[in-house]
Amino acid sequence: MRPAALEWSVDNCTIGAAMAILGERWTVVVLREVFNGIHRFDDMRERTGIPRQVLTNRLGMLVDNGVLRRVPYREPGSRARDEYRITEKGFDLYPLLVAVREWGDRYLAGPEGPPLETVHRDCGAPVHAVLVCESGHAEVPPRDVVPRPGRGARRRLAVADRGQ
């Protein structure tokens, strides 16, 4: 049986568009650092070992895409520099990073356990990424979620219609 998903185009797929921004390892590492309170270029380089040009490129791309913003600062006796701060668009990525961390904790952490926790600032309890539906069902299991065409879906052209 032919999967129904083959009837729909992926040309305007927002997952593909998001991964064009986020899909490189160092980009996610930069976001991790900013969410962990590391905002300055030299501090990021020292902590991660990201090559200078790679870090420059990733920070620039995240700024260009509105995920980070530059905030000028100047240490006494030094030239002006920029810190990198998360934007609202960037904050919306936090659940993704929590989900990636949880997956890594489950499958990749050593026997001593995960190196980082995400906790609720007010009470200190662990925070988790969960699926919820708009009707109020909390913690929907992934197997109970199905994709379906959205408002922006486009029917896929048949091979003959594409001139092939």
Side-chain angles (χ1 to χ4, degrees):
M1 179 174 193
R2 185 176 165 88
L6 290 174
E7 301 299 319
W8 299 96
S9 172
V10 293
D11 291 343
N12 64 338
C13 173
T14 55
I15 293 173
M19 292 312 293
I21 297 169
L22 303 173
E24 198 276 328
R25 172 182 183 236
W26 290 123
T27 302
V28 178
V29 169
V30 167
L31 289 172
R32 177 196 70 198
E33 294 307 307
V34 174
F35 277 117
N36 285 336
I38 309 297
H39 302 287
R40 296 182 178 181
F41 185 94
D42 289 337
D43 293 339
M44 283 185 214
R45 282 229 340 120
E46 177 184 327
R47 188 163 145 92
T48 65
I50 300 174
R52 180 173 294 282
Q53 191 59 52
V54 172
L55 181 56
T56 298
N57 292 345
R58 296 312 173 269
L59 288 167
M61 183 270 305
L62 289 167
V63 168
D64 290 347
N65 282 283
V67 175
L68 298 178
R69 63 186 168 86
R70 287 184 175 97
V71 176
Y73 76 95
R74 176 182 232 136
E75 294 286 344
S78 297
R79 65 178 174 85
R81 294 181 168 205
D82 291 323
E83 288 186 335
Y84 296 89
R85 298 293 177 148
I86 204 82
T87 64
E88 283 304 310
K89 186 176 182 179
F91 271 114
D92 285 344
L93 289 169
Y94 198 59
L96 172 73
L97 292 180
V98 169
V100 169
R101 183 201 47 79
E102 286 187 284
W103 185 88
D105 289 354
R106 182 172 183 177
Y107 296 106
L108 305 173
E112 65 280 359
L116 178 73
E117 291 182 329
T118 48
V119 298
H120 185 205
R121 181 188 311 270
D122 290 347
C123 72
V127 173
H128 301 282
V130 296
L131 298 171
V132 297
C133 82
E134 288 186 10
S135 291
H137 300 106
E139 297 195 40
V140 178
R143 291 186 187 277
D144 289 348
V145 178
V146 295
R148 69 176 184 203
R151 293 184 324 234
R154 300 177 188 152
R155 283 240 179 243
R156 192 168 161 223
L157 295 175
V159 173
D161 294 337
R162 290 183 276 170
Q164 296 179 343

